[in-house]
């Protein structure tokens, strides 16, 4: 029996280059997209993925190279030109109009016009919206305002918009970054349905479990260059990581053995009505204590309470055996606690402020005399912490919004590193950052623990928790369902505890 011939490509990128002043963003990039296939576009931050997507959607024009649509050379003059060619993008941050309805968002920019009255045909648009939502098994009304939808529902509406355009190529950029496990499964169902309908999907993700679950082929970019491609089924995580960053999977979790010291933090029967209940655990000097659970498990709420952002309704906290009252973040900082929140852009960093000012912000009272900043001290503190985190920037005077997501996270870590804490709480510290930066963050966490820092690592990525923790606490629906030594950790056991299918083992 002869092997099946590959389908003819819908879309091809051949030798595309893109230059900006002083920067070569893309260097000889190739990409082949076929109908009925999900193609993973893989690369760390700065690899050129975003630039390539902007070329495919008509936002940028390539400096040189070819774009072929159905085998014919083509040019996208602008975003509308790419859209009319059947290319639609669903971005990580849903670009929608929150005060408009689902129907209005779906048909924004391509309203249906009544053939007789020449006015907007609301009746037809509402009918098409009902059909699209039914096709996607999405139980919402077309009249619902987008601001009243959840993150997952907004993503589904964006997919519906792509279908309303009769898109042939759908680009999904980190579509699961803010979804629950159930919502991710719903998205997978939609992706598989689109495949059956002959749509081509470009799937951008940092999560390898997603790539191996849903994708058929992959292309890897590194430093703006095409590195290689292949069938997902014929590859492995380690192979793809080596292509991305030139290092192996073993180097992703550089966990050093630590000598544990005294118990520095004890949490006793801590509760917050409606979020978590009866949470108790201890953290030792030099230990990395992992917290695992699905979205909504209550992990972040526990950490916010320990740091004094939220107030507990019951229970108490001890530091080195002494009962303490932590009523606000300043109080937590005085007790030697630092907290890196999950939402770095809104809670961890001020984007319109320089790197230096971001790093030194928690110490503003210590580096000012009579309301006058000591600039030399400020610069020294920022430089020492920033160099330790290997922040890549044109200078520490530049604003944080000029940095990549990975370097923004390094700024947040440097900010707290500069305060010399005894306890460091990290809530999803590698969310949305590339593989190379993840490895750098892991190395930093491990080195800090080996120097005696006590670390709490909250993560939704099970390999990260298992690879970096000494002990793992599992939460489900606001309660602890398991406490496990990491060396004895079993994936199935942890997932059962995280989904509430195991009796409490604490």
């Amino acid at each position: 029996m002869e092997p099946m011939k590959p389908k003819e490509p819908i879309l091809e990128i051949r030798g595309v280059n893109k230059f900006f002043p002083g920067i070569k963003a893309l260097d000889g990039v190739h990409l082949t997209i076929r109908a009925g296939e999900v193609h993973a576009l893989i690369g760390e931050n700065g690899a050129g993925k975003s630039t390539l997507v902007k070329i495919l959607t008509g936002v940028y024009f390539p400096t040189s190279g070819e774009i072929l649509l159905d085998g014919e050379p083509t040019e996208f003059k602008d975003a509308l030109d790419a859209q009319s060619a059947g290319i639609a993008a669903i971005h990580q941050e849903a670009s929608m109009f929150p005060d408009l309805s689902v129907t209005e968002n779906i048909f924004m920019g391509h309203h249906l016009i009544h053939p007789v009255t020449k006015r907007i045909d609301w009746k037809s648009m509402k009918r098409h919206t009902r059909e699209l939502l039914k096709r996607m098994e999405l139980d919402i009304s077309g009249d619902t305002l987008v601001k009243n939808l959840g993150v997952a529902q907004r993503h589904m509406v964006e997919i519906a918009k792509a279908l309303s355009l009769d898109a042939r190529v759908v680009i999904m950029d980190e579509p699961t970054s803010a979804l629950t496990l159930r919502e991710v499964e719903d998205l997978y169902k939609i992706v598989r349905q689109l495949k059956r309908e002959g749509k081509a999907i470009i799937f951008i993700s940092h999560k390898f479990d997603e790539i191996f679950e849903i994708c058929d082929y992959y292309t890897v970019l590194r430093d703006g260059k095409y590195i290689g491609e292949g069938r997902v089924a014929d590859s492995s995580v380690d192979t793809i990581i080596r292509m991305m960053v030139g290092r192996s999977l073993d180097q992703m979790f550089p966990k050093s053995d630590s000598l544990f010291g005294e118990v520095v933090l004890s949490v006793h029967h801590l509760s917050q009505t409606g979020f978590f209940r009866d949470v108790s655990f201890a953290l030792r000097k030099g230990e990395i204590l992992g917290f695992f659970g699905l979205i909504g498990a209550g992990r972040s709420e526990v950490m916010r309470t320990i740091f004094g952002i939220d107030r507990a309704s019951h229970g108490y906290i001890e530091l080195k055996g002494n009962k303490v009252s932590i009523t606000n973040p300043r109080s937590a900082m005085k007790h030697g606690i630092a907290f890196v929140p999950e939402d770095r852009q809104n809670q961890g960093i001020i984007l319109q402020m320089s790197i230096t000012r971001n790093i030194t912000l928690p110490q503003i009272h210590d580096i000012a005399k009579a309301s006058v900043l000591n600039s030399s001290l400020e610069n020294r503190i920022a430089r020492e912490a920033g160099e330790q985190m290997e922040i890549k920037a044109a200078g520490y005077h530049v604003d944080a919004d000029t940095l990549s997501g990975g370097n923004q996270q390094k700024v947040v870590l440097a900010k707290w590193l500069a305060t010399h804490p005894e306890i460091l709480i990290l809530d999803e510290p590698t969310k949305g950052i590339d593989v190379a930066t993840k490895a750098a963050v892991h190395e930093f966490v491990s080195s800090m623990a080996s120097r005696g820092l006590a670390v709490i690592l909250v993560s939704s990525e099970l390999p990260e928790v298992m690879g970096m923790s000494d002990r793992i606490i599992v939460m489900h629906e606001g309660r602890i369902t398991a406490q496990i030594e990491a060396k004895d950790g079993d994936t199935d056991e942890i997932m059962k505890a995280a989904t509430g299918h195991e009796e409490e083992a604490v």
Side-chain angles (χ1 to χ4, degrees):
M1 185 175 177
E2 292 185 9
M4 289 182 61
K5 292 182 180 179
K7 303 171 187 175
E8 290 298 317
I10 291 181
L11 183 67
E12 286 184 273
I13 299 291
R14 293 182 180 174
V16 162
N17 298 296
K18 180 61 180 176
F19 296 92
F20 296 102
I23 300 172
K24 194 171 189 179
L26 294 179
D27 185 1
V29 169
H30 305 280
L31 184 67
T32 303
I33 305 299
R34 296 182 173 86
E37 295 177 352
V38 183
H39 197 112
L41 183 59
I42 305 173
E44 59 182 309
N45 290 350
K49 304 188 301 295
S50 295
T51 303
L52 182 57
V53 167
K54 287 177 179 177
I55 286 174
L56 292 176
T57 54
V59 177
Y60 290 160
F61 193 78
T63 305
S64 60
E66 267 192 314
I67 301 175
L68 285 80
L69 192 64
D70 295 321
E72 297 294 326
T74 189
E75 294 180 353
F76 300 137
K77 299 178 179 63
D78 52 34
L80 284 175
D81 199 21
Q83 184 175 292
S84 64
I87 299 173
I90 299 161
H91 299 284
Q92 184 175 356
E93 301 296 333
S95 52
M96 309 189 78
F97 296 90
D99 292 312
L100 297 183
S101 70
V102 169
T103 298
E104 288 170 313
N105 271 278
I106 287 175
F107 285 96
M108 180 60 65
H110 65 291
H111 295 95
L112 300 182
I113 304 299
H114 194 282
V116 176
T117 65
K118 305 301 180 184
R119 294 180 178 180
I120 293 175
D121 191 346
W122 288 104
K123 187 176 180 180
S124 292
M125 290 197 305
K126 288 183 177 183
R127 186 183 72 252
H128 280 297
T129 297
R130 286 194 300 272
E131 291 169 355
L132 285 168
L133 298 177
K134 183 179 179 180
R135 176 178 167 190
M136 296 176 62
E137 300 180 7
L138 192 56
D139 187 22
I140 60 173
S141 167
D143 295 327
T144 304
L145 297 183
V146 163
K147 67 182 178 183
N148 296 326
L149 300 180
V151 174
Q153 291 174 319
R154 293 188 188 201
H155 276 297
M156 297 305 183
V157 170
E158 288 228 81
I159 295 173
K161 180 172 184 175
L163 296 179
S164 76
L165 293 163
D166 197 26
R168 302 172 65 203
V169 179
V170 180
I171 303 169
M172 296 185 175
D173 188 359
E174 298 284 355
T176 69
S177 60
L179 304 187
T180 65
L181 190 64
R182 182 182 294 275
E183 290 167 343
V184 169
E185 288 299 328
D186 289 341
L187 178 69
Y188 287 171
K189 283 173 60 179
I190 297 297
V191 171
R192 292 184 179 108
Q193 182 180 327
L194 295 177
K195 280 181 60 178
R196 289 192 296 270
E197 294 175 3
K199 308 295 185 186
I201 295 116
I202 299 175
F203 197 89
I204 302 173
S205 176
H206 287 302
K207 300 177 182 178
F208 289 103
D209 57 338
E210 294 180 357
I211 292 168
F212 280 83
E213 172 71 25
I214 202 70
C215 297
D216 303 299
Y217 290 86
Y218 67 89
T219 293
V220 177
L221 304 182
R222 185 171 74 221
D223 297 329
K225 296 182 175 66
Y226 167 87
I227 301 299
E229 62 186 89
R231 278 172 45 89
V232 171
D234 298 334
S235 192
S236 67
V237 174
D238 201 26
T239 299
I240 295 175
I241 285 178
R242 283 183 180 276
M243 293 172 73
M244 288 173 67
V245 294
R247 69 175 78 197
S248 69
L249 185 60
D250 294 340
Q251 296 171 294
M252 287 302 301
F253 304 111
K255 176 73 174 71
S256 304
D257 292 331
S258 298
L259 294 174
F260 303 144
E262 63 178 328
V263 172
V264 292
L265 171 68
S266 300
V267 174
H268 300 273
H269 308 292
L270 205 64
S271 300
Q272 187 190 139
T273 304
F275 294 98
F276 60 88
R277 64 188 186 278
D278 199 28
V279 169
S280 299
F281 65 89
L283 174 68
R284 296 166 289 184
K285 185 177 181 180
E287 181 180 30
I288 300 176
L289 178 61
F291 266 74
F292 180 74
L294 306 179
I295 292 174
R299 302 160 303 157
S300 296
E301 288 77 8
V302 170
M303 303 310 148
R304 286 170 58 90
T305 302
I306 292 172
F307 194 62
I309 298 172
D310 300 328
R311 299 295 293 271
S313 54
H314 184 73
Y316 63 97
I317 296 169
E318 290 181 339
L319 294 175
K320 296 181 180 178
N322 299 313
K323 189 174 179 180
V324 296
S325 175
I326 299 175
T327 56
N328 53 54
R330 180 174 293 182
S331 171
M333 289 163 57
K334 286 181 178 178
H335 285 294
I337 303 174
F339 177 50
V340 176
E342 177 182 3
D343 186 353
R344 65 172 173 265
Q345 290 203 340
N346 290 314
Q347 299 174 355
I349 197 168
I350 300 176
L351 294 172
Q352 285 73 42
M353 188 179 281
S354 71
I355 296 172
T356 295
R357 289 287 161 86
N358 267 288
I359 291 175
T360 59
L361 190 59
Q363 303 177 73
I364 194 80
H365 294 289
D366 299 325
I367 58 177
K369 300 287 185 182
S371 300
V372 178
L373 285 173
N374 183 333
S375 297
S376 61
L377 178 59
E378 182 184 35
N379 291 331
R380 180 171 60 80
I381 290 171
R383 187 176 61 255
E384 289 176 356
E387 288 176 354
Q388 191 166 346
M389 286 307 307
E390 298 181 353
I391 296 169
K392 295 179 181 178
Y396 284 17
H397 62 282
V398 303
D399 288 350
D401 63 1
T402 65
L403 305 177
S404 67
N407 278 297
Q408 287 177 0
Q409 186 70 318
K410 287 182 178 182
V411 171
V412 179
L413 289 166
K415 174 176 73 174
W416 291 112
L417 176 65
T419 68
H420 305 290
E422 293 186 62
I423 298 167
L424 178 61
I425 302 172
L426 302 169
D427 192 356
E428 301 285 7
T430 63
K431 178 180 176 181
I433 62 177
D434 60 80
V435 174
T437 308
K438 278 187 179 183
V441 170
H442 293 155
E443 190 171 350
F444 160 76
V445 172
S446 182
S447 66
M448 290 296 100
S450 66
R451 297 180 199 177
L453 189 67
V455 179
I456 295 176
L457 172 64
V458 179
S459 178
S460 299
E461 294 189 30
L462 188 52
E464 179 173 65
V465 173
M466 295 182 71
M468 290 301 300
S469 305
D470 297 297
R471 283 188 301 133
I472 301 169
I473 290 178
V474 187
M475 292 188 68
H476 171 69
E477 293 185 349
R479 65 188 182 94
I480 292 177
T481 51
Q483 292 195 34
I484 303 165
E485 294 292 328
K487 66 179 186 301
D488 301 324
D490 175 81
T491 303
D492 291 340
E493 178 188 2
I494 293 172
M495 284 306 300
K496 283 179 181 178
T499 53
H501 291 109
E502 185 173 286
E503 290 298 318
E504 211 167 303
V506 298

